[in-house]
Amino acid sequence: QVQLVESGGGLVQAGGSLRLSCAASGLTFTTYTMGWFRQAPGKERVFVATITWNGGSTHYADSVKGRFTISRDNAKHTVYLQMSGLKPEDTALYYCGATQRSSVDRVSSYPYWGQGTQVTVSS
């Protein structure tokens, strides 16, 4: 079965950095676009960033553009999210997902999700 396992979350002060990882198994990794989404308490899950199978195309939410960088290592079947200049409003549970659909910024496009990793940014 398909498994996506996130790691790397934690508690950091505003202005700090974290790198999240998502290890994938049970799927043909190179045929999927991978995405990062986040969900704060009482809020909907929202798009953060996506990357195509070969890293040739990336897409970022305006709220994180210039601060976050998505990358992937196909040999390790792993996707990363490097987060810098963190703000309290970045606090959320961060999820990775895998999709073969074209609307990669939509939650409904993703058949597979990880369990999430918590990022908390203090002021």
Side-chain angles (χ1 to χ4, degrees):
Q1 66 283 85
V2 173
Q3 286 191 312
L4 303 175
V5 181
E6 302 98 333
S7 61
L11 174 63
V12 298
Q13 291 189 319
S17 299
L18 283 173
R19 189 176 76 157
L20 307 183
S21 299
C22 175
S25 62
L27 52 74
T28 304
F29 188 69
T30 55
T31 68
Y32 285 83
T33 289
M34 303 298 296
W36 286 97
F37 290 70
R38 65 189 183 188
Q39 186 168 20
K43 303 293 185 180
E44 292 185 306
R45 190 173 302 187
V46 297
F47 160 76
V48 175
T50 60
I51 186 167
T52 52
W53 71 271
N54 64 350
S57 182
T58 58
H59 185 207
Y60 296 93
D62 287 342
S63 59
V64 307
K65 195 173 300 181
R67 299 189 297 121
F68 291 9
T69 301
I70 188 171
S71 61
R72 67 191 292 164
D73 185 336
N74 287 339
K76 295 182 177 180
H77 291 195
T78 300
V79 180
Y80 304 96
L81 186 68
Q82 179 66 51
M83 306 184 295
S84 300
L86 285 163
K87 305 174 181 179
E89 50 263 46
D90 295 318
T91 295
L93 190 63
Y94 282 71
Y95 296 90
C96 69
T99 185
Q100 295 176 314
R101 299 183 186 181
S102 59
S103 299
V104 296
D105 60 347
R106 293 184 62 187
V107 169
S108 61
S109 294
Y110 288 76
Y112 305 117
W113 295 96
Q115 82 290 343
T117 186
Q118 179 67 39
V119 172
T120 302
V121 184
S122 65
S123 59

